[in-house]
Structures are given as C-alpha cells and as structure tokens.
Amino acid sequence: MYGSPDNSQIDGLGGGTSTTSKLAIVGPSSLPDAHIDYTFGQVSLDRQVVDYNVTCGNFVTAVGLYAVEEGYVPLTEPITSVKIYNTNTKKIIVAEIPVKNGQIQYEGAFSIAGVPGSSSRIMLNFLDAGGTFTGKTLPTNSPTDIIKLENGQEYEVSIVDCVNTLVFVRAEDVGQTGTELPNEVNGNTVLLNTLEKIRVKAGIKIGLIKEGERVSPSTHALPKIAMISKPKEYKTVNQQLVKQEDVDVLSRYITMGSLHSAHAVSGAMALAAAAKINGTIPNQIVLNTHTGISVGHPSGTLYADASVEKMGEEWLVAQAGNGRTARRLMEGYAYVPTSIFVGKKDAMMA
C-alpha cells in the first residue's frame, strides 16, 4: 500500500519520508482495562519491510481521536479519556480528547512547531513509561557509557529507554553545534555514518541489535539517536528565530538514517525523563529539572515532561506526557495489486 521499496513511494500512499511512511492497526482491546489495541509499524522506504519493534507518539494522538470518533469510547465532558494498549510496548497510553456540548472539539489555539495552523490540544500520558523496550529506564544501569568504534574513536553517550529507546550524544563530540538543520546534517555522510556506528554499537550493548547482524536504519529502527547541546539561538527551517532563553536543550533527532525535520514525541519524552536522571548527558545540560522541558528542534520548540523517581538502583518513570493535535483527513479504500497476494501464496506452497 505504501509503495516501497522506492524512496519516493510513487506507486503507493507513502509520502517518501520516514515521517509519512507509518501505519497503525487499531481494534477492540484485548485487555479489560483498555478501550482499544494499537499496533504501530514503521514502513521502510527502500525495502519491503515493516518494523513493529518501535512505537510512535504522534500516531497515538490520531488513534485516540479515531477511537472516540468510531464509538469505542463514550463521550464525556470536558475530557474523554481513551485508554490505549500499545501492543508494541505492552504499555497503556491515555489520550485526553476535549469534548464540549456533546461534541469533539476540533478547533482550538494549541499549535505545534512544524505543523501549520492550530487546533484543540490532545494530551498524551504514557503510563509506566520507563523500560519500554529493554525493561529498564537505564538499560546499562549507568547514566553514561563509552562507545568505542572500530577506528578507535570513543564517544560518551547516555542510553535511556522511556517510550522509545534513545542514545544521546553531545553534538560537540561529533563536531556539530546542535543548531544544524536537516540539509546540513543529511548532506554530511561522514557525520551520519559516525552516528549510525554509535547507534549500532549502543544497540548491541543493550541487546536490541545482535552482534554480527546485518543492520541498517531501515531494518533496525531502534535505538534512535539524538545529538543534544546547550541552548543557543538559531533559526528554524522556516527561518523563524528561536531565542536561547526559550529552550532548555537543543536536540537533533535522527530517524531512518536522516535528521528529522521536527522531533519525535516519543524522543522528546525520553529526553525529558533523561534530564531528571542524575548524571546523564541531558541532566548535565538541562539546568531546570524540576518541571518539563522545552526542546529546540529544526522546526521550533516542543514541550515534554516526565515523572521520574529512583527506587533502589532503578529509575522509574511513572508517567511521561506531551500535548499534540490531530484531525481526520480522509477515509476510504487502498487498493493492492493481486500479484502481491499471488506471490505470497506461491511462496507458502513452495
């Protein structure tokens, strides 16, 4: 349906980017304490592969709205809470849909950097968000680790698993300022290769990637990697000025082998959690760790928060939250060539 493998996805519904090549499978929940089940898939651009070993915060927003529109959850005012069971992570996510006078409120003044216009705010609350994929908020039990590459170069990183699994590296350590825009990073093959090598080494270290396994950004979406740095003034992709005092940290989020033009919600929540864990690289950078953080990314800023507590040797994330927007764009049918199913049948018979 998405038109892969083809980086433009001309013969399909995909938009030719990792952001627009995603899917959600939704249905009645398999759990008594949830309203719906939600399975996320990251569709590869250059291979016939769908990665289900990852999740997406943005899609949760749309899934929550869809559940209310389709009658999975009865409307309550002023907020209808949708309990979503994410089958990828085995976690419950609560989406708060605004309701007034018996109707969903689509219009509002809430806006997101990188998304045109404004809408009503849909709050997302990821419960028990620590250790989503590895079982631990700090998969290595350490706030920082040293990753040594084959050429002998060493990089200090923080690996944090909250909603998504992130590898944080200082932008300065890989020769960057942290204010870079997508065209600067995505044209820098040396930088991207270095970041990919760090990501893969970190993935092996925490068991998300097997030693000797053939790995690429399209085959192994996790862990993600982000370059972070102290607040600085910079201009966005739309040439809007972001002032130093308006952000707590700068982050450049790499996904599917390229710099994301905005910032993944899940990655921002992992960053918010990391900022509150003593000794991590984000914790060393973010000065105010008592509230949520404002993350500066190529399209503007993004707010995220997390409730973090240390219990013995473990760091627990009771809740991670973020505000998003969503609206239904269309509904209908997608047509798939019959030859695809014939090919599968022949392969099964063989």
Side-chain angles (χ1 to χ4, degrees), residues 309-322:
E309 181 182 4
K310 190 173 185 181
M311 298 286 289
E313 296 301 314
E314 297 286 336
W315 287 92
L316 305 180
V317 185
Q319 177 265 337
N322 178 258

Side-chain angles (χ1 to χ4, degrees), residues 37-246:
D37 280 358
Y38 151 59
T39 301
F40 172 76
Q42 177 69 59
V43 183
S44 172
L45 299 180
D46 56 3
R47 299 183 65 195
Q48 286 183 308
V49 172
V50 181
D51 189 353
Y52 292 103
N53 298 309
V54 66
T55 190
C56 175
N58 280 322
F59 249 68
V60 179
T61 319
V63 164
L65 179 61
Y66 173 81
V68 176
E69 291 178 331
E70 292 296 309
Y72 284 95
V73 189
L75 291 178
T76 58
E77 298 185 32
I79 295 294
T80 297
S81 294
V82 184
K83 295 180 180 179
I84 303 164
Y85 176 60
N86 182 206
T87 63
N88 309 80
T89 63
K90 306 296 189 291
K91 301 280 188 178
I92 296 288
I93 308 162
V94 179
E96 299 179 353
I97 312 298
V99 176
K100 186 177 181 180
N101 297 328
Q103 295 185 327
I104 299 170
Q105 292 300 290
Y106 294 96
E107 303 297 326
F110 186 73
S111 61
I112 298 172
V115 179
S118 63
S119 183
S120 62
R121 184 179 70 174
I122 297 175
M123 280 300 300
L124 299 181
N125 297 296
F126 290 71
L127 309 182
D128 186 24
T132 302
F133 290 96
T134 64
K136 292 183 178 181
T137 306
L138 293 182
T140 67
N141 296 317
S142 176
T144 61
D145 291 279
I146 299 297
I147 298 296
K148 186 174 182 178
L149 303 187
E150 302 299 334
N151 61 6
Q153 288 182 300
E154 295 184 352
Y155 297 91
E156 185 178 35
V157 302
S158 288
I159 307 173
V160 178
D161 184 358
C162 172
V163 184
N164 245 344
T165 310
L166 267 288
V167 179
F168 296 106
V169 60
R170 293 183 187 88
E172 292 79 6
D173 289 351
V174 289
Q176 307 300 300
T177 65
T179 63
E180 287 78 17
L181 299 180
N183 61 329
E184 299 172 79
V185 172
N186 296 336
N188 189 339
T189 55
V190 174
L191 171 63
L192 290 176
N193 287 338
T194 298
L195 291 172
E196 177 64 5
K197 289 175 182 176
I198 295 171
R199 185 185 79 88
V200 172
K201 286 285 187 180
I204 293 172
K205 192 176 187 68
I206 61 177
L208 290 181
I209 297 174
K210 296 178 181 178
E211 188 80 50
E213 196 173 12
R214 187 177 179 181
V215 179
S216 73
S218 62
T219 60
H220 293 71
L222 288 183
K224 303 292 187 182
I225 188 166
M227 302 183 293
I228 63 172
S229 65
K230 294 180 180 179
K232 302 179 186 71
E233 184 175 283
Y234 70 97
K235 286 188 177 180
T236 70
V237 290
N238 295 320
Q239 294 301 300
Q240 294 177 328
L241 182 67
V242 175
K243 296 181 180 179
Q244 179 177 330
E245 58 267 26
D246 292 337

Side-chain angles (χ1 to χ4, degrees), residues 253-328:
Y253 184 86
I254 309 296
T255 181
M256 303 294 282
S258 62
L259 174 58
H260 206 298
S261 60
H263 202 291
V265 174
S266 54
M269 286 186 278
L271 180 51
K276 294 186 177 184
I277 297 176
N278 295 337
T280 67
I281 294 175
N283 179 256
Q284 297 171 31
I285 290 174
V286 177
L287 299 178
N288 179 20
T289 59
H290 300 294
T291 61
I293 60 172
S294 177
V295 181
H297 57 84
S299 293
T301 61
L302 169 64
Y303 177 84
D305 196 5
S307 299
V308 178
E309 181 182 4
K310 190 173 185 181
M311 298 286 289
E313 296 301 314
E314 297 286 336
W315 287 92
L316 305 180
V317 185
Q319 177 265 337
N322 178 258
R324 307 304 287 167
T325 62
R327 71 177 180 89
R328 182 176 294 212

